[in-house]
Amino acid sequence: MSLEKNIKNTLKSNFAVDHLEVINESYMHSGPDNAETHFKVILVSEQFQDLKLIERHRKINTLLKNELSNGVHALSLHLFTNDEWDAKEQTTKDSPLCAK
């Protein structure tokens, strides 16, 4: 199974997901074709209610500990409740391009 699918499955099985995007951004960085090293995760769940941003990140990093130890070099996390996601007009900033 690809790392991208594994990340999606892990998050779906551990959160009541209202919105989830796992975007492989590896092509924006140096490395081999078809690499799975850089990901952007957008996750909207009411389970983030009353959690500070650092607590949300810790939860995800703990869940994805194996992936982070085995190939994932960078993980950009965008974690919101529904109200926060709506306030952002359901968008996030584009990731910057890496100098290859």
Side-chain angles (χ1 to χ4, degrees), residues 10-11 14-15 58-67:
T10 299
L11 295 175
N14 285 279
F15 285 93
R58 284 180 180 150
K59 276 185 168 286
I60 301 301
N61 287 331
T62 298
L63 286 172
L64 300 178
K65 182 179 180 180
N66 186 54
E67 290 78 6

Side-chain angles (χ1 to χ4, degrees), residues 25-31 37-38 73-74 95-100:
E25 296 185 327
S26 302
Y27 70 93
M28 297 166 53
H29 304 274
S30 59
T37 56
H38 293 71
H73 173 74
S95 298
L97 293 174
C98 179
K100 289 188 175 187

